[in-house]
Amino acid sequence: MRIGLIGTGRIGSFHAGVLSRHREVGALLVADADAARAVAVADQLGVTAAPSVDEIFAWGVDAVVIASATSAHAELIGRAARAGLPTFCEKPIALDLKGTLGALREVDAAGNALQLGFMRRFDAGYTAARELVRSGGLGRLHTVRAMTSDPAPPPAAYLPLSGGLYRDCLVHDFDMLRWVTGREVVEVYAVGSDAGPAMFREAGDVDTAAAVLTLDDGTLATATATRCNAAGYDVRMELAGELDQVSVGLDDRTPITSTEPKGPPAAERPWPGFLERFAPAYEAELDAFVQLVRGEIANPCDGTEALHALRIAEACELSRRERRPVRLAEIPSS
């Protein structure tokens, strides 16, 4: 199998390493807007660097992996669709609903596969929680608490391009709410704080956010996020039912300290970032994509799943701006 990878930044380089080692990938071509960066990654891995993205399509590949800047995702998805190529794309499809819906229409018209990079669907902890919820092991689910805390803010130049904390960060938690519970969000109420570094205020973004979400069966959920958690990278989900409650992401590397006299000790090696925390999940999602291209499995996360998560993020952003509850029915879905 020949795979073309577009984008060799941090996540693209990681994906290139995974694909270069995959038993079913016979050839890997990499390209980047910064051609020298693509060459450096290719030389390190012993794969082929293409002079530009055009060669990825012209040289003939069986599938495309998109890990470029977010602003290029929708255009590249459309180009791959018109070329009839199965495509894996890092989230998001686009930073707004218009761009997302346009790209999905191209994919639908072409009839080719598009898998989105929501890696938490391949994490062992989230998978186990999903199985417990779906099997009834927790009883009637009544409360879900989700959180994502980054250890340090991103570069200031990234913020205006990120789409904001709800679309860029909490969108993963919104995807997990749907995927783990099997329910849909019907209403949100969201708030945010820009009391941290000035660059968030300058970008019109927030450094900390919280949302209360009501699911279609009455289950209540909260989702919180911050860019300022120097203790480490902390991603967790707690699910409480009438029979039991469980926690995802609670292990000996969770960056939280108990104040109880007999509580667990602080982590000696707290998670430093998302790549370290979710490395096995990133590898598993790319293995799933290879299987999808080979026709061995159904699509584990198609474009409509990304649209659902984005609509929740859009509702939260609207709620924050207008300081009111927002029904998901207010957010366009087509």
Side-chain angles (χ1 to χ4, degrees):
M1 180 185 300
R2 288 167 59 86
I3 290 184
L5 183 145
I6 302 170
T8 54
R10 185 180 183 189
I11 190 62
S13 297
F14 183 91
H15 287 339
V18 172
L19 292 168
S20 71
R21 299 187 300 268
H22 199 286
R23 63 191 180 279
E24 299 293 348
V25 179
L28 178 65
L29 287 65
V30 300
D32 194 283
D34 181 347
R37 185 165 66 177
V39 169
V41 170
D43 288 347
Q44 179 183 5
L45 297 175
V47 300
T48 302
S52 71
V53 172
D54 291 340
E55 281 75 21
I56 293 290
F57 293 95
W59 289 355
V61 294
D62 300 304
V64 172
V65 171
I66 299 171
S68 62
T70 296
S71 58
H73 285 186
E75 178 187 355
L76 290 170
I77 288 171
R79 187 170 183 180
R82 293 189 296 274
L85 294 171
T87 304
F88 174 95
C89 184
E90 275 300 323
K91 67 86 187 166
I93 293 174
L95 289 178
D96 58 16
L97 282 170
K98 180 180 179 181
T100 298
L101 292 169
L104 290 179
R105 281 192 289 269
E106 289 214 62
V107 171
D108 289 342
N112 65 309
L114 170 64
Q115 179 183 332
L116 264 291
F118 281 98
M119 76 291 184
R120 296 187 195 180
R121 292 180 177 226
F122 299 87
D123 177 73
Y126 282 106
T127 299
R130 184 177 193 260
E131 292 171 353
L132 277 170
V133 171
R134 302 300 183 90
S135 69
L138 303 183
R140 182 185 68 85
L141 189 67
H142 52 73
T143 308
V144 182
R145 294 176 285 271
M147 63 174 291
T148 295
S149 299
D150 287 337
Y158 173 75
L159 293 179
L161 309 175
S162 71
L165 192 57
Y166 298 103
R167 300 184 189 94
D168 180 54
C169 182
L170 274 169
V171 72
H172 283 289
D173 297 278
F174 301 150
D175 181 60
M176 282 300 93
L177 277 174
R178 298 183 60 252
W179 189 73
V180 170
T181 67
R183 313 304 308 191
E184 297 294 343
V185 174
V186 295
E187 185 177 81
V188 308
Y189 183 79
V191 295
S193 169
D194 60 4
M199 63 181 182
F200 289 96
R201 292 186 291 280
E202 293 165 0
D205 196 6
V206 295
D207 59 78
T208 303
V212 177
L213 309 101
T214 303
L215 307 190
D216 59 9
D217 64 347
T219 300
L220 298 180
T222 61
T224 63
T226 184
R227 300 287 198 184
C228 307
N229 190 59
Y233 182 68
D234 192 3
V235 170
R236 280 177 281 142
M237 174 180 274
E238 298 173 354
L239 300 109
E242 290 183 335
L243 299 180
D244 201 359
Q245 58 182 349
V246 294
S247 177
V248 178
L250 185 61
D251 60 19
D252 60 358
R253 299 191 68 180
T254 304
I256 189 168
T257 302
S258 173
T259 60
E260 297 297 329
K262 295 184 179 181
E268 293 183 6
R269 294 188 309 120
W271 294 110
F274 65 90
L275 274 180
E276 295 82 4
R277 166 66 177 84
F278 288 110
Y282 278 115
E283 294 199 27
E285 72 175 357
L286 286 178
D287 181 62
F289 178 61
V290 171
Q291 294 180 64
L292 174 65
V293 175
R294 288 170 56 85
E296 297 170 351
I297 62 170
N299 195 334
C301 187
D302 65 22
T304 60
E305 298 296 293
L307 174 61
H308 289 312
L310 176 62
R311 290 180 66 240
I312 299 170
E314 292 284 340
C316 286
E317 186 59 47
L318 180 60
S319 175
R320 180 184 75 87
R321 290 199 312 267
E322 299 189 357
R323 296 178 177 271
R324 67 175 178 88
V326 173
R327 303 282 297 179
L328 261 290
E330 297 179 49
I331 308 301
S333 59
S334 61

mmCIF file with all atom_site columns, all heavy atoms in Angstrom, residues 166 188-194 206 210 314-326 330:
data_model
loop_
_atom_site.group_PDB
_atom_site.id
_atom_site.type_symbol
_atom_site.label_atom_id
_atom_site.label_alt_id
_atom_site.label_comp_id
_atom_site.label_asym_id
_atom_site.label_entity_id
_atom_site.label_seq_id
_atom_site.pdbx_PDB_ins_code
_atom_site.Cartn_x
_atom_site.Cartn_y
_atom_site.Cartn_z
_atom_site.occupancy
_atom_site.B_iso_or_equiv
_atom_site.pdbx_formal_charge
_atom_site.auth_seq_id
_atom_site.auth_comp_id
_atom_site.auth_asym_id
_atom_site.auth_atom_id
_atom_site.pdbx_PDB_model_num
ATOM 1   N N   . TYR A 1 166 ? -13.262 25.828 22.724 1.00 0.00 ? 166 TYR A N   1
ATOM 2   C CA  . TYR A 1 166 ? -14.326 24.828 22.549 1.00 0.00 ? 166 TYR A CA  1
ATOM 3   C C   . TYR A 1 166 ? -14.098 23.992 21.296 1.00 0.00 ? 166 TYR A C   1
ATOM 4   O O   . TYR A 1 166 ? -14.243 22.758 21.311 1.00 0.00 ? 166 TYR A O   1
ATOM 5   C CB  . TYR A 1 166 ? -15.694 25.510 22.463 1.00 0.00 ? 166 TYR A CB  1
ATOM 6   C CG  . TYR A 1 166 ? -16.070 26.281 23.698 1.00 0.00 ? 166 TYR A CG  1
ATOM 7   C CD1 . TYR A 1 166 ? -15.981 27.669 23.720 1.00 0.00 ? 166 TYR A CD1 1
ATOM 8   C CD2 . TYR A 1 166 ? -16.514 25.634 24.849 1.00 0.00 ? 166 TYR A CD2 1
ATOM 9   C CE1 . TYR A 1 166 ? -16.324 28.396 24.846 1.00 0.00 ? 166 TYR A CE1 1
ATOM 10  C CE2 . TYR A 1 166 ? -16.862 26.354 25.988 1.00 0.00 ? 166 TYR A CE2 1
ATOM 11  C CZ  . TYR A 1 166 ? -16.755 27.734 25.982 1.00 0.00 ? 166 TYR A CZ  1
ATOM 12  O OH  . TYR A 1 166 ? -17.080 28.443 27.102 1.00 0.00 ? 166 TYR A OH  1
ATOM 13  N N   . VAL A 1 188 ? -26.895 23.164 25.782 1.00 0.00 ? 188 VAL A N   1
ATOM 14  C CA  . VAL A 1 188 ? -25.662 23.497 26.478 1.00 0.00 ? 188 VAL A CA  1
ATOM 15  C C   . VAL A 1 188 ? -25.788 24.870 27.128 1.00 0.00 ? 188 VAL A C   1
ATOM 16  O O   . VAL A 1 188 ? -26.561 25.727 26.682 1.00 0.00 ? 188 VAL A O   1
ATOM 17  C CB  . VAL A 1 188 ? -24.438 23.507 25.526 1.00 0.00 ? 188 VAL A CB  1
ATOM 18  C CG1 . VAL A 1 188 ? -24.350 22.206 24.736 1.00 0.00 ? 188 VAL A CG1 1
ATOM 19  C CG2 . VAL A 1 188 ? -24.484 24.692 24.565 1.00 0.00 ? 188 VAL A CG2 1
ATOM 20  N N   . TYR A 1 189 ? -25.020 25.043 28.184 1.00 0.00 ? 189 TYR A N   1
ATOM 21  C CA  . TYR A 1 189 ? -24.818 26.383 28.743 1.00 0.00 ? 189 TYR A CA  1
ATOM 22  C C   . TYR A 1 189 ? -23.330 26.478 29.064 1.00 0.00 ? 189 TYR A C   1
ATOM 23  O O   . TYR A 1 189 ? -22.802 25.677 29.838 1.00 0.00 ? 189 TYR A O   1
ATOM 24  C CB  . TYR A 1 189 ? -25.634 26.624 30.005 1.00 0.00 ? 189 TYR A CB  1
ATOM 25  C CG  . TYR A 1 189 ? -25.468 28.051 30.510 1.00 0.00 ? 189 TYR A CG  1
ATOM 26  C CD1 . TYR A 1 189 ? -26.169 29.096 29.915 1.00 0.00 ? 189 TYR A CD1 1
ATOM 27  C CD2 . TYR A 1 189 ? -24.582 28.356 31.545 1.00 0.00 ? 189 TYR A CD2 1
ATOM 28  C CE1 . TYR A 1 189 ? -26.004 30.406 30.341 1.00 0.00 ? 189 TYR A CE1 1
ATOM 29  C CE2 . TYR A 1 189 ? -24.416 29.663 31.972 1.00 0.00 ? 189 TYR A CE2 1
ATOM 30  C CZ  . TYR A 1 189 ? -25.119 30.683 31.367 1.00 0.00 ? 189 TYR A CZ  1
ATOM 31  O OH  . TYR A 1 189 ? -24.950 31.986 31.773 1.00 0.00 ? 189 TYR A OH  1
ATOM 32  N N   . ALA A 1 190 ? -22.644 27.435 28.448 1.00 0.00 ? 190 ALA A N   1
ATOM 33  C CA  . ALA A 1 190 ? -21.191 27.496 28.534 1.00 0.00 ? 190 ALA A CA  1
ATOM 34  C C   . ALA A 1 190 ? -20.713 28.866 28.988 1.00 0.00 ? 190 ALA A C   1
ATOM 35  O O   . ALA A 1 190 ? -21.310 29.898 28.660 1.00 0.00 ? 190 ALA A O   1
ATOM 36  C CB  . ALA A 1 190 ? -20.562 27.165 27.172 1.00 0.00 ? 190 ALA A CB  1
ATOM 37  N N   . VAL A 1 191 ? -19.623 28.864 29.741 1.00 0.00 ? 191 VAL A N   1
ATOM 38  C CA  . VAL A 1 191 ? -18.960 30.095 30.177 1.00 0.00 ? 191 VAL A CA  1
ATOM 39  C C   . VAL A 1 191 ? -17.461 29.935 29.953 1.00 0.00 ? 191 VAL A C   1
ATOM 40  O O   . VAL A 1 191 ? -16.948 28.829 29.816 1.00 0.00 ? 191 VAL A O   1
ATOM 41  C CB  . VAL A 1 191 ? -19.243 30.409 31.667 1.00 0.00 ? 191 VAL A CB  1
ATOM 42  C CG1 . VAL A 1 191 ? -20.710 30.710 31.888 1.00 0.00 ? 191 VAL A CG1 1
ATOM 43  C CG2 . VAL A 1 191 ? -18.791 29.255 32.553 1.00 0.00 ? 191 VAL A CG2 1
ATOM 44  N N   . GLY A 1 192 ? -16.768 31.073 29.918 1.00 0.00 ? 192 GLY A N   1
ATOM 45  C CA  . GLY A 1 192 ? -15.332 31.037 29.735 1.00 0.00 ? 192 GLY A CA  1
ATOM 46  C C   . GLY A 1 192 ? -14.670 32.184 30.454 1.00 0.00 ? 192 GLY A C   1
ATOM 47  O O   . GLY A 1 192 ? -15.303 33.211 30.742 1.00 0.00 ? 192 GLY A O   1
ATOM 48  N N   . SER A 1 193 ? -13.381 32.020 30.751 1.00 0.00 ? 193 SER A N   1
ATOM 49  C CA  . SER A 1 193 ? -12.615 33.053 31.429 1.00 0.00 ? 193 SER A CA  1
ATOM 50  C C   . SER A 1 193 ? -11.342 33.358 30.635 1.00 0.00 ? 193 SER A C   1
ATOM 51  O O   . SER A 1 193 ? -10.647 32.437 30.193 1.00 0.00 ? 193 SER A O   1
ATOM 52  C CB  . SER A 1 193 ? -12.231 32.594 32.837 1.00 0.00 ? 193 SER A CB  1
ATOM 53  O OG  . SER A 1 193 ? -11.290 33.477 33.418 1.00 0.00 ? 193 SER A OG  1
ATOM 54  N N   . ASP A 1 194 ? -11.062 34.637 30.468 1.00 0.00 ? 194 ASP A N   1
ATOM 55  C CA  . ASP A 1 194 ? -9.821  35.054 29.811 1.00 0.00 ? 194 ASP A CA  1
ATOM 56  C C   . ASP A 1 194 ? -8.916  35.785 30.808 1.00 0.00 ? 194 ASP A C   1
ATOM 57  O O   . ASP A 1 194 ? -8.162  36.691 30.458 1.00 0.00 ? 194 ASP A O   1
ATOM 58  C CB  . ASP A 1 194 ? -10.108 35.949 28.608 1.00 0.00 ? 194 ASP A CB  1
ATOM 59  C CG  . ASP A 1 194 ? -10.860 37.229 28.988 1.00 0.00 ? 194 ASP A CG  1
ATOM 60  O OD1 . ASP A 1 194 ? -11.085 37.451 30.193 1.00 0.00 ? 194 ASP A OD1 1
ATOM 61  O OD2 . ASP A 1 194 ? -11.210 37.998 28.075 1.00 0.00 ? 194 ASP A OD2 1
ATOM 62  N N   . VAL A 1 206 ? -10.639 32.305 25.187 1.00 0.00 ? 206 VAL A N   1
ATOM 63  C CA  . VAL A 1 206 ? -10.582 32.121 26.632 1.00 0.00 ? 206 VAL A CA  1
ATOM 64  C C   . VAL A 1 206 ? -9.524  31.071 26.951 1.00 0.00 ? 206 VAL A C   1
ATOM 65  O O   . VAL A 1 206 ? -9.235  30.193 26.138 1.00 0.00 ? 206 VAL A O   1
ATOM 66  C CB  . VAL A 1 206 ? -11.954 31.697 27.206 1.00 0.00 ? 206 VAL A CB  1
ATOM 67  C CG1 . VAL A 1 206 ? -12.975 32.804 27.027 1.00 0.00 ? 206 VAL A CG1 1
ATOM 68  C CG2 . VAL A 1 206 ? -12.448 30.404 26.559 1.00 0.00 ? 206 VAL A CG2 1
ATOM 69  N N   . ALA A 1 210 ? -15.967 26.183 30.806 1.00 0.00 ? 210 ALA A N   1
ATOM 70  C CA  . ALA A 1 210 ? -16.808 25.149 31.413 1.00 0.00 ? 210 ALA A CA  1
ATOM 71  C C   . ALA A 1 210 ? -18.157 25.145 30.725 1.00 0.00 ? 210 ALA A C   1
ATOM 72  O O   . ALA A 1 210 ? -18.656 26.188 30.299 1.00 0.00 ? 210 ALA A O   1
ATOM 73  C CB  . ALA A 1 210 ? -16.985 25.406 32.909 1.00 0.00 ? 210 ALA A CB  1
ATOM 74  N N   . GLU A 1 314 ? -19.884 24.639 18.581 1.00 0.00 ? 314 GLU A N   1
ATOM 75  C CA  . GLU A 1 314 ? -20.499 25.874 18.095 1.00 0.00 ? 314 GLU A CA  1
ATOM 76  C C   . GLU A 1 314 ? -21.587 26.358 19.063 1.00 0.00 ? 314 GLU A C   1
ATOM 77  O O   . GLU A 1 314 ? -21.708 27.563 19.330 1.00 0.00 ? 314 GLU A O   1
ATOM 78  C CB  . GLU A 1 314 ? -21.103 25.649 16.707 1.00 0.00 ? 314 GLU A CB  1
ATOM 79  C CG  . GLU A 1 314 ? -20.094 25.404 15.601 1.00 0.00 ? 314 GLU A CG  1
ATOM 80  C CD  . GLU A 1 314 ? -19.406 26.687 15.167 1.00 0.00 ? 314 GLU A CD  1
ATOM 81  O OE1 . GLU A 1 314 ? -19.941 27.781 15.428 1.00 0.00 ? 314 GLU A OE1 1
ATOM 82  O OE2 . GLU A 1 314 ? -18.320 26.586 14.569 1.00 0.00 ? 314 GLU A OE2 1
ATOM 83  N N   . ALA A 1 315 ? -22.371 25.430 19.577 1.00 0.00 ? 315 ALA A N   1
ATOM 84  C CA  . ALA A 1 315 ? -23.420 25.798 20.530 1.00 0.00 ? 315 ALA A CA  1
ATOM 85  C C   . ALA A 1 315 ? -22.814 26.378 21.797 1.00 0.00 ? 315 ALA A C   1
ATOM 86  O O   . ALA A 1 315 ? -23.337 27.350 22.368 1.00 0.00 ? 315 ALA A O   1
ATOM 87  C CB  . ALA A 1 315 ? -24.280 24.577 20.858 1.00 0.00 ? 315 ALA A CB  1
ATOM 88  N N   . CYS A 1 316 ? -21.693 25.802 22.251 1.00 0.00 ? 316 CYS A N   1
ATOM 89  C CA  . CYS A 1 316 ? -21.025 26.317 23.445 1.00 0.00 ? 316 CYS A CA  1
ATOM 90  C C   . CYS A 1 316 ? -20.469 27.718 23.204 1.00 0.00 ? 316 CYS A C   1
ATOM 91  O O   . CYS A 1 316 ? -20.577 28.598 24.076 1.00 0.00 ? 316 CYS A O   1
ATOM 92  C CB  . CYS A 1 316 ? -19.904 25.369 23.871 1.00 0.00 ? 316 CYS A CB  1
ATOM 93  S SG  . CYS A 1 316 ? -20.476 23.850 24.650 1.00 0.00 ? 316 CYS A SG  1
ATOM 94  N N   . GLU A 1 317 ? -19.882 27.942 22.046 1.00 0.00 ? 317 GLU A N   1
ATOM 95  C CA  . GLU A 1 317 ? -19.345 29.267 21.738 1.00 0.00 ? 317 GLU A CA  1
ATOM 96  C C   . GLU A 1 317 ? -20.463 30.296 21.674 1.00 0.00 ? 317 GLU A C   1
ATOM 97  O O   . GLU A 1 317 ? -20.329 31.418 22.187 1.00 0.00 ? 317 GLU A O   1
ATOM 98  C CB  . GLU A 1 317 ? -18.568 29.225 20.422 1.00 0.00 ? 317 GLU A CB  1
ATOM 99  C CG  . GLU A 1 317 ? -17.842 30.522 20.077 1.00 0.00 ? 317 GLU A CG  1
ATOM 100 C CD  . GLU A 1 317 ? -16.829 30.925 21.131 1.00 0.00 ? 317 GLU A CD  1
ATOM 101 O OE1 . GLU A 1 317 ? -16.040 30.071 21.566 1.00 0.00 ? 317 GLU A OE1 1
ATOM 102 O OE2 . GLU A 1 317 ? -16.841 32.113 21.522 1.00 0.00 ? 317 GLU A OE2 1
ATOM 103 N N   . LEU A 1 318 ? -21.584 29.934 21.073 1.00 0.00 ? 318 LEU A N   1
ATOM 104 C CA  . LEU A 1 318 ? -22.727 30.829 21.022 1.00 0.00 ? 318 LEU A CA  1
ATOM 105 C C   . LEU A 1 318 ? -23.263 31.110 22.427 1.00 0.00 ? 318 LEU A C   1
ATOM 106 O O   . LEU A 1 318 ? -23.597 32.250 22.771 1.00 0.00 ? 318 LEU A O   1
ATOM 107 C CB  . LEU A 1 318 ? -23.824 30.225 20.149 1.00 0.00 ? 318 LEU A CB  1
ATOM 108 C CG  . LEU A 1 318 ? -25.105 31.037 19.975 1.00 0.00 ? 318 LEU A CG  1
ATOM 109 C CD1 . LEU A 1 318 ? -24.815 32.387 19.328 1.00 0.00 ? 318 LEU A CD1 1
ATOM 110 C CD2 . LEU A 1 318 ? -26.121 30.250 19.143 1.00 0.00 ? 318 LEU A CD2 1
ATOM 111 N N   . SER A 1 319 ? -23.326 30.076 23.245 1.00 0.00 ? 319 SER A N   1
ATOM 112 C CA  . SER A 1 319 ? -23.798 30.236 24.614 1.00 0.00 ? 319 SER A CA  1
ATOM 113 C C   . SER A 1 319 ? -22.880 31.173 25.395 1.00 0.00 ? 319 SER A C   1
ATOM 114 O O   . SER A 1 319 ? -23.348 32.048 26.138 1.00 0.00 ? 319 SER A O   1
ATOM 115 C CB  . SER A 1 319 ? -23.864 28.870 25.302 1.00 0.00 ? 319 SER A CB  1
ATOM 116 O OG  . SER A 1 319 ? -24.204 28.998 26.660 1.00 0.00 ? 319 SER A OG  1
ATOM 117 N N   . ARG A 1 320 ? -21.577 31.006 25.245 1.00 0.00 ? 320 ARG A N   1
ATOM 118 C CA  . ARG A 1 320 ? -20.629 31.877 25.948 1.00 0.00 ? 320 ARG A CA  1
ATOM 119 C C   . ARG A 1 320 ? -20.794 33.333 25.534 1.00 0.00 ? 320 ARG A C   1
ATOM 120 O O   . ARG A 1 320 ? -20.830 34.236 26.375 1.00 0.00 ? 320 ARG A O   1
ATOM 121 C CB  . ARG A 1 320 ? -19.199 31.418 25.680 1.00 0.00 ? 320 ARG A CB  1
ATOM 122 C CG  . ARG A 1 320 ? -18.145 32.284 26.384 1.00 0.00 ? 320 ARG A CG  1
ATOM 123 C CD  . ARG A 1 320 ? -16.737 31.858 26.024 1.00 0.00 ? 320 ARG A CD  1
ATOM 124 N NE  . ARG A 1 320 ? -16.347 32.263 24.690 1.00 0.00 ? 320 ARG A NE  1
ATOM 125 C CZ  . ARG A 1 320 ? -15.810 33.459 24.401 1.00 0.00 ? 320 ARG A CZ  1
ATOM 126 N NH1 . ARG A 1 320 ? -15.631 34.367 25.346 1.00 0.00 ? 320 ARG A NH1 1
ATOM 127 N NH2 . ARG A 1 320 ? -15.445 33.735 23.162 1.00 0.00 ? 320 ARG A NH2 1
ATOM 128 N N   . ARG A 1 321 ? -20.923 33.550 24.222 1.00 0.00 ? 321 ARG A N   1
ATOM 129 C CA  . ARG A 1 321 ? -21.022 34.924 23.732 1.00 0.00 ? 321 ARG A CA  1
ATOM 130 C C   . ARG A 1 321 ? -22.323 35.595 24.174 1.00 0.00 ? 321 ARG A C   1
ATOM 131 O O   . ARG A 1 321 ? -22.333 36.758 24.553 1.00 0.00 ? 321 ARG A O   1
ATOM 132 C CB  . ARG A 1 321 ? -20.926 34.952 22.200 1.00 0.00 ? 321 ARG A CB  1
ATOM 133 C CG  . ARG A 1 321 ? -19.568 34.618 21.649 1.00 0.00 ? 321 ARG A CG  1
ATOM 134 C CD  . ARG A 1 321 ? -19.454 35.111 20.206 1.00 0.00 ? 321 ARG A CD  1
ATOM 135 N NE  . ARG A 1 321 ? -20.599 34.737 19.383 1.00 0.00 ? 321 ARG A NE  1
ATOM 136 C CZ  . ARG A 1 321 ? -20.671 33.647 18.638 1.00 0.00 ? 321 ARG A CZ  1
ATOM 137 N NH1 . ARG A 1 321 ? -19.662 32.789 18.626 1.00 0.00 ? 321 ARG A NH1 1
ATOM 138 N NH2 . ARG A 1 321 ? -21.750 33.388 17.906 1.00 0.00 ? 321 ARG A NH2 1
ATOM 139 N N   . GLU A 1 322 ? -23.421 34.839 24.109 1.00 0.00 ? 322 GLU A N   1
ATOM 140 C CA  . GLU A 1 322 ? -24.729 35.435 24.376 1.00 0.00 ? 322 GLU A CA  1
ATOM 141 C C   . GLU A 1 322 ? -25.224 35.201 25.797 1.00 0.00 ? 322 GLU A C   1
ATOM 142 O O   . GLU A 1 322 ? -26.308 35.649 26.156 1.00 0.00 ? 322 GLU A O   1
ATOM 143 C CB  . GLU A 1 322 ? -25.743 34.903 23.360 1.00 0.00 ? 322 GLU A CB  1
ATOM 144 C CG  . GLU A 1 322 ? -25.371 35.268 21.921 1.00 0.00 ? 322 GLU A CG  1
ATOM 145 C CD  . GLU A 1 322 ? -26.467 34.939 20.919 1.00 0.00 ? 322 GLU A CD  1
ATOM 146 O OE1 . GLU A 1 322 ? -27.504 34.363 21.337 1.00 0.00 ? 322 GLU A OE1 1
ATOM 147 O OE2 . GLU A 1 322 ? -26.276 35.248 19.724 1.00 0.00 ? 322 GLU A OE2 1
ATOM 148 N N   . ARG A 1 323 ? -24.443 34.472 26.582 1.00 0.00 ? 323 ARG A N   1
ATOM 149 C CA  . ARG A 1 323 ? -24.755 34.225 27.997 1.00 0.00 ? 323 ARG A CA  1
ATOM 150 C C   . ARG A 1 323 ? -26.158 33.651 28.178 1.00 0.00 ? 323 ARG A C   1
ATOM 151 O O   . ARG A 1 323 ? -26.985 34.156 28.943 1.00 0.00 ? 323 ARG A O   1
ATOM 152 C CB  . ARG A 1 323 ? -24.603 35.513 28.813 1.00 0.00 ? 323 ARG A CB  1
ATOM 153 C CG  . ARG A 1 323 ? -23.189 36.051 28.844 1.00 0.00 ? 323 ARG A CG  1
ATOM 154 C CD  . ARG A 1 323 ? -23.098 37.349 29.626 1.00 0.00 ? 323 ARG A CD  1
ATOM 155 N NE  . ARG A 1 323 ? -21.723 37.819 29.697 1.00 0.00 ? 323 ARG A NE  1
ATOM 156 C CZ  . ARG A 1 323 ? -20.840 37.492 30.637 1.00 0.00 ? 323 ARG A CZ  1
ATOM 157 N NH1 . ARG A 1 323 ? -21.206 36.650 31.594 1.00 0.00 ? 323 ARG A NH1 1
ATOM 158 N NH2 . ARG A 1 323 ? -19.622 37.990 30.625 1.00 0.00 ? 323 ARG A NH2 1
ATOM 159 N N   . ARG A 1 324 ? -26.409 32.550 27.449 1.00 0.00 ? 324 ARG A N   1
ATOM 160 C CA  . ARG A 1 324 ? -27.726 31.913 27.536 1.00 0.00 ? 324 ARG A CA  1
ATOM 161 C C   . ARG A 1 324 ? -27.625 30.440 27.181 1.00 0.00 ? 324 ARG A C   1
ATOM 162 O O   . ARG A 1 324 ? -26.663 30.016 26.520 1.00 0.00 ? 324 ARG A O   1
ATOM 163 C CB  . ARG A 1 324 ? -28.704 32.592 26.572 1.00 0.00 ? 324 ARG A CB  1
ATOM 164 C CG  . ARG A 1 324 ? -28.372 32.390 25.102 1.00 0.00 ? 324 ARG A CG  1
ATOM 165 C CD  . ARG A 1 324 ? -29.432 32.969 24.190 1.00 0.00 ? 324 ARG A CD  1
ATOM 166 N NE  . ARG A 1 324 ? -29.107 32.827 22.777 1.00 0.00 ? 324 ARG A NE  1
ATOM 167 C CZ  . ARG A 1 324 ? -29.428 31.763 22.033 1.00 0.00 ? 324 ARG A CZ  1
ATOM 168 N NH1 . ARG A 1 324 ? -30.069 30.729 22.572 1.00 0.00 ? 324 ARG A NH1 1
ATOM 169 N NH2 . ARG A 1 324 ? -29.124 31.719 20.742 1.00 0.00 ? 324 ARG A NH2 1
ATOM 170 N N   . PRO A 1 325 ? -28.592 29.631 27.601 1.00 0.00 ? 325 PRO A N   1
ATOM 171 C CA  . PRO A 1 325 ? -28.628 28.239 27.146 1.00 0.00 ? 325 PRO A CA  1
ATOM 172 C C   . PRO A 1 325 ? -28.881 28.203 25.629 1.00 0.00 ? 325 PRO A C   1
ATOM 173 O O   . PRO A 1 325 ? -29.613 29.035 25.100 1.00 0.00 ? 325 PRO A O   1
ATOM 174 C CB  . PRO A 1 325 ? -29.807 27.628 27.913 1.00 0.00 ? 325 PRO A CB  1
ATOM 175 C CG  . PRO A 1 325 ? -30.067 28.569 29.040 1.00 0.00 ? 325 PRO A CG  1
ATOM 176 C CD  . PRO A 1 325 ? -29.683 29.932 28.547 1.00 0.00 ? 325 PRO A CD  1
ATOM 177 N N   . VAL A 1 326 ? -28.279 27.240 24.965 1.00 0.00 ? 326 VAL A N   1
ATOM 178 C CA  . VAL A 1 326 ? -28.444 27.081 23.517 1.00 0.00 ? 326 VAL A CA  1
ATOM 179 C C   . VAL A 1 326 ? -28.870 25.646 23.225 1.00 0.00 ? 326 VAL A C   1
ATOM 180 O O   . VAL A 1 326 ? -28.212 24.685 23.657 1.00 0.00 ? 326 VAL A O   1
ATOM 181 C CB  . VAL A 1 326 ? -27.147 27.405 22.753 1.00 0.00 ? 326 VAL A CB  1
ATOM 182 C CG1 . VAL A 1 326 ? -27.292 27.075 21.257 1.00 0.00 ? 326 VAL A CG1 1
ATOM 183 C CG2 . VAL A 1 326 ? -26.784 28.888 22.922 1.00 0.00 ? 326 VAL A CG2 1
ATOM 184 N N   . GLU A 1 330 ? -30.642 24.759 17.309 1.00 0.00 ? 330 GLU A N   1
ATOM 185 C CA  . GLU A 1 330 ? -30.349 26.085 16.752 1.00 0.00 ? 330 GLU A CA  1
ATOM 186 C C   . GLU A 1 330 ? -29.138 26.065 15.815 1.00 0.00 ? 330 GLU A C   1
ATOM 187 O O   . GLU A 1 330 ? -28.931 27.008 15.052 1.00 0.00 ? 330 GLU A O   1
ATOM 188 C CB  . GLU A 1 330 ? -30.063 27.087 17.889 1.00 0.00 ? 330 GLU A CB  1
ATOM 189 C CG  . GLU A 1 330 ? -31.207 27.336 18.830 1.00 0.00 ? 330 GLU A CG  1
ATOM 190 C CD  . GLU A 1 330 ? -30.824 28.317 19.916 1.00 0.00 ? 330 GLU A CD  1
ATOM 191 O OE1 . GLU A 1 330 ? -30.267 29.390 19.575 1.00 0.00 ? 330 GLU A OE1 1
ATOM 192 O OE2 . GLU A 1 330 ? -31.074 28.033 21.109 1.00 0.00 ? 330 GLU A OE2 1
#
